[in-house]
Amino acid sequence: MIKREKYIQKIRPFINKDLIKVLTGMRRSGKSVMLDLIKEELLSSEVDPSQFISINFENMNNTHLCDAVSLHNEIIKLSAFIKGKTYLFFDEIQEVKNWEKCINSLRIELDCDIYITGSNANLLSSELATYLAGRYVEFVIYPFSFSEFIELYNTIHLGMTNQQLFNEYLMYGGMPYLANLNYNKEAVNRYLLDLFNSVELKDIVKRNKIRDIDILERILAFVTKNIGTTFSATSISKYLKNEGCSISPETILNYIKACVNAYLFYPVKRMDLRGKKVLTVNEKYYIADHGIREAVYGGNQTDIQLVLENIVYMELLRRGYTIHIGKIDNKEIDFICEKQNNKIYIQVTYLLASQETIDREFKVYDTIKDNYPKYVLSLDPFNMSQNGIIHRNIIDFLLEE
């Protein structure tokens, strides 16, 4: 287990504060481990472990607690034996019916500090916001970054260069449990396929009461194959019609939204840089973990341009940026990244192997006259910066603080 200190740094200021800490993200992305790391943080500040109450609602032994009243009564009973503040850790809280009512009541009744995890974006719906009245703070937990992957991979396989490690990361991705499999290729593929099926069944089909699983799987396959590619629901509808399946664009959008709510896909909207407005058509989607794509669909090496974009996009999310695709006339900038009052532009390409590629990646910035940093990222080992545009090696970019 690695410490994931960057997450702990974000959570630390809210420990022992009257705010519910909500950890969200895709199934098996490390949320349960984060609860353990928070417990370690508390123990290091001399909190007694007897003050902890922890419940995982995917454990069948806790099925009887999966409604608000039963859970509330159990916690009130257990907390009566605790001296001092009670620390509550609820894993996969969405399994509890009307859980928000219970959590809000416990927050009011007890001297407690509450931490919850969930695998669905609807966890923070408007209804929840109403019950908790702004009394929560959210932390999205993503699969391992490249730097976290190196930290764990190096405990198993020593002596590899960063380039060799990146080649492994391209294929395996960043799901935390893979270290327990010693990154054995066959075992990893089996695990990631099972994970994909679990997300599909539990977090998409079951939660959204989807009946036509065949159509869903076709949409999943299309989006997984076409990460980082601009498309519309209408284009998917036409594609499926050619495959012999008739489905409306509206239904396709609902299915994709269910996948987004399960944190499997992340949508990126396009921004017209001339009109300064966000466009509502032809989004791009990226997958939470590119290793899942390799296990389910394959082709990460063949589609390395798209996979590199996916890796950079997820890293930008980890760094806290709000991201759009930039559209200017008939050209696109891969990522416009904003955080507080800062902005950066990023182009991602595999290699700057020809003058045509160099011109395409650098000259797209010619019409942008502001002074925010503009980057071109590639796997080239040499610095090819020009005209104030910064060229960075992707591996170096991923490893920088």
Side-chain angles (χ1 to χ4, degrees), residues 27-88:
R27 182 176 296 273
R28 302 188 207 169
S29 60
K31 301 185 297 297
S32 300
V33 171
M34 286 307 307
L35 292 183
D36 291 335
L37 292 173
I38 292 167
K39 291 175 187 176
E40 287 186 5
E41 183 79 10
L42 290 166
L43 292 172
S44 69
S45 62
E46 300 185 352
V47 173
D48 193 281
S50 65
Q51 295 173 256
F52 298 161
I53 298 176
S54 301
I55 302 175
N56 184 336
F57 294 102
E58 289 201 320
N59 186 326
M60 287 292 291
N61 292 323
N62 297 319
T63 302
H64 64 292
L65 300 176
C66 287
D67 70 82
V69 173
S70 298
L71 178 59
H72 172 269
N73 292 342
E74 178 72 5
I75 298 303
I76 293 297
K77 181 175 70 175
L78 293 175
S79 64
F81 298 97
I82 293 176
K83 294 180 180 179
K85 186 184 287 289
T86 299
Y87 293 87
L88 302 174

Side-chain angles (χ1 to χ4, degrees), residues 302-330:
T302 304
D303 300 328
I304 191 168
Q305 171 71 38
L306 300 179
V307 176
L308 290 174
E309 277 187 35
N310 203 111
I311 290 171
V312 170
Y313 172 76
M314 293 305 299
E315 180 62 26
L316 292 167
L317 284 184
R318 291 185 191 95
R319 296 182 186 183
Y321 285 102
T322 299
I323 307 164
H324 291 91
I325 303 155
K327 179 184 180 298
I328 187 160
D329 299 329
N330 62 342

Side-chain angles (χ1 to χ4, degrees), residues 139-293:
F139 305 92
V140 181
I141 309 301
Y142 302 104
F144 282 164
S145 66
F146 180 46
S147 61
E148 289 176 316
F149 172 86
I150 287 178
E151 185 179 347
L152 199 55
Y153 197 90
N154 276 338
T155 66
I156 301 168
H157 303 284
L158 300 175
M160 299 180 73
T161 66
N162 283 347
Q163 181 62 63
Q164 290 171 323
L165 288 163
F166 187 70
N167 291 340
E168 298 292 284
Y169 186 61
L170 273 173
M171 301 304 291
Y172 291 129
M175 296 309 295
Y177 189 79
L178 302 189
N180 296 316
L181 305 174
N182 291 318
Y183 291 97
N184 174 279
K185 186 174 182 179
E186 184 176 342
V188 164
N189 280 350
R190 182 70 263 164
Y191 172 81
L192 292 177
L193 278 170
D194 288 346
L195 169 58
F196 181 81
N197 291 334
S198 180
V199 171
E200 178 188 340
L201 179 63
K202 293 183 179 180
D203 299 322
I204 301 174
V205 173
K206 180 181 175 183
R207 192 156 302 283
N208 297 278
K209 298 179 174 61
I210 291 174
R211 295 181 179 179
D212 198 334
I213 297 176
D214 177 64
I215 290 290
L216 172 66
E217 289 182 340
R218 289 170 183 263
I219 293 170
L220 281 168
F222 182 93
V223 179
T224 300
K225 177 182 177 181
N226 292 285
I227 55 168
T229 302
T230 302
F231 57 79
S232 65
T234 301
S235 65
I236 299 178
S237 179
K238 291 178 179 177
Y239 166 79
L240 292 176
K241 188 174 183 179
N242 290 335
E243 296 284 307
C245 299
S246 180
I247 183 170
S248 70
E250 182 181 3
T251 301
I252 289 171
L253 283 175
N254 288 335
Y255 279 19
I256 293 178
K257 183 179 179 181
C259 298
V260 170
N261 284 340
Y263 295 99
L264 179 61
F265 298 136
Y266 286 83
V268 192
K269 292 187 179 295
R270 299 159 75 227
M271 177 181 288
D272 186 332
L273 294 179
R274 291 200 187 278
K276 304 295 183 182
K277 63 180 180 180
V278 175
L279 304 174
T280 57
V281 295
N282 294 349
E283 296 177 325
K284 289 185 180 183
Y285 292 86
Y286 294 96
I287 193 167
D289 181 73
H290 58 280
I292 294 175
R293 182 185 191 271

Side-chain angles (χ1 to χ4, degrees), residues 334-357:
D334 290 331
F335 303 124
I336 306 168
C337 318
E338 298 179 90
K339 181 167 59 175
Q340 298 169 344
N341 294 320
N342 296 319
K343 180 190 292 186
I344 59 174
Y345 300 92
I346 290 180
Q347 286 284 95
V348 181
T349 192
Y350 173 34
L351 292 171
L352 296 167
S354 67
Q355 190 59 48
E356 179 185 1
T357 304

